Amino acid sequence: MDKIVIQGGAPLIGEIEVSGAKNAALPILAATLLSSEPQTLLGIPKLMDVATTKKLLQRMGAEISEQEGVHSVQVKTIKSCEAPYDLVKTMRASILVLGPLVARCGEAHVSLPGGCAIGARPIQLHLTALEKMGAEIKIEHGMIHAKAGKLKGAKIYFDLPTVTGTENLMMAATLAEGTTTLENAACEPEITDLAQFLNACGARIEGAGTDRITIQGVAALKRASYRVMPDRIEAGTFMIAAAITKGDLVIRHGRAEHLASVIEKLRAAGATVTEEKDLLRVKGGAVHAVDVKTLPYPGFPTDMQAQMMALMSISDGLSVVTETIFENRFNHVAELRRMGAEIRLEGNHAVIKGVQKLSGAPVMASDLRASASLILAGLVAQGETEVLRIYHLDRGYERIEEKLSKVGASIRRVKGAA
C-alpha cells in the first residue's frame, strides 16, 4: 500500500492548478445514463472514485473512451440495471445511478453504498422522493430495488438539504412526465454544474443553486459537450497549504464565488487573499485563532473542516471547530495529536489550543479529507511525516504530491509501503 512522505518546513511558492471537481464529475457521469446519445466531457479528474464510476457505467452498457483528457461517453442501451456491492462498497456517490436508471429503464437494483467512515448519510430521503414520483421501493439483502412504469412529476420537500438526494431526484425528474419541484433542495455549486450539463443536453431545469428547483420533464436528452467545474475543495486545500506554510501561492481555476466562506475565515486567520478572474492568490502570515462552524452551502464546507483544523493547530490562541453535518468527522484529531496538536473534543466541538510547532510522525488517514489535513500538517511540521492509507486521498485529489512538489514541498509517494 502506498504512503506519502513529507519533510516539513518549506514555504510553498508558485502557481498550482486545480483539477475538475470530483463532486461534480461523479453525478455528471451518472447522468450520461439518461441518454442514448454520445456525451463529450472535459475536465474529468483522474481519481479512484472516477475510475470506479466508469467501471460501473461500463458494466451497465456505457462505451467510454478518453483521449488527451477528453472523455466520450455513450450509453446506447442499458445492458444491466444493477450496481453491485463489489463496485459500490468504497463509494457513497454510487447511489447517483439510482435516479437515472429508474427514469430511463423503469427499474434499478443498487447496493446500499459505502464510502468514507464519517457518519450516517441516510438515503431514505432519496427513496421517499422516488416513491412520490411513482416508484415502488424494496430493500432486501443490502440491495435497493426500485421499479416504475413511468415516473411522474411531483412536489418533493426534503426534510434536510441533501446534495446527492437533490442530484438524484433532479436527474430522475428530467425524463419524468410533468413537472417536479424540489423544495429545501441543497444549493451546492456542484448541483448547479449538473443542472447546466443536463440543460445542455435538452433538460428543462430552473432554480439550481437555490432551495427550490423546478424540472419540466422531457421525452429524451440529446448530445452535448461540457466542461466540469473546478474542484472548490481542492482549491480550498491549496489555500490552506499556502497559509499554513506561510507561503505565496497562485491557485489557478480557484473560483472565489464558490469559496466565500473559506476566504472569509482565512483572512480572519491572518492570510492575505487576492481574488482575480479564474484564480486566487494566498499569502500566509502569522496564524490567528478563529472559530469555524460547518454548515450547508454557502456556509463553511464540512469537506474543509479537517484542513482548517490543521491550520488552527498552529494558531496563536484558542479556537473552536464545530461540525454540524457529519457526526463522525473528527477521526483526524487523534492523528493530529500524534503530531503535537492540542485538541480536546466536546461532542461535536473540537477545542484547539494553538502550538508553536508540530512534529513529524507516522499517521494514518481515516477518510478523504482527513488525509488532506494530515498532509497539510506534515508540510509545516518539523521533521518527517508519513501518511499511511492514502487510498482515501486518491479518491479525491489528483496527483496532489506532484502539484505540491512543484511549488516547493518536500513530498513524495512511496509505492507499496506497508
Side-chain angles (χ1 to χ4, degrees), residues 66 98 168 191 281:
E66 178 189 0
L98 179 64
N168 228 340
I191 292 171
R281 182 179 181 184

Side-chain angles (χ1 to χ4, degrees), residues 17-29:
E17 187 166 349
V18 176
S19 298
K22 174 186 86 106
N23 289 338
L26 298 182
I28 286 173
L29 283 167

Side-chain angles (χ1 to χ4, degrees), residues 241-260:
I244 202 169
T245 65
K246 296 181 172 59
D248 185 354
L249 282 183
V250 172
I251 300 159
R252 189 159 295 280
H253 307 312
R255 294 185 181 176
E257 66 269 26
H258 293 163
L259 290 159

Side-chain angles (χ1 to χ4, degrees), residues 96-109:
L96 289 168
V97 301
L98 179 64
L101 286 175
V102 176
R104 184 170 171 190
C105 305
E107 66 174 310
H109 308 281

Side-chain angles (χ1 to χ4, degrees), residues 27-28 31 167 170-171 189-199:
I28 286 173
E167 291 167 340
M170 191 165 67
M171 288 188 283
E190 293 80 7
I191 292 171
T192 303
D193 211 43
L194 173 61
Q196 289 173 346
F197 167 69
L198 290 169
N199 284 342

Side-chain angles (χ1 to χ4, degrees), residues 161-172:
T162 162
V163 175
T164 54
T166 300
E167 291 167 340
N168 228 340
L169 273 297
M170 191 165 67
M171 288 188 283

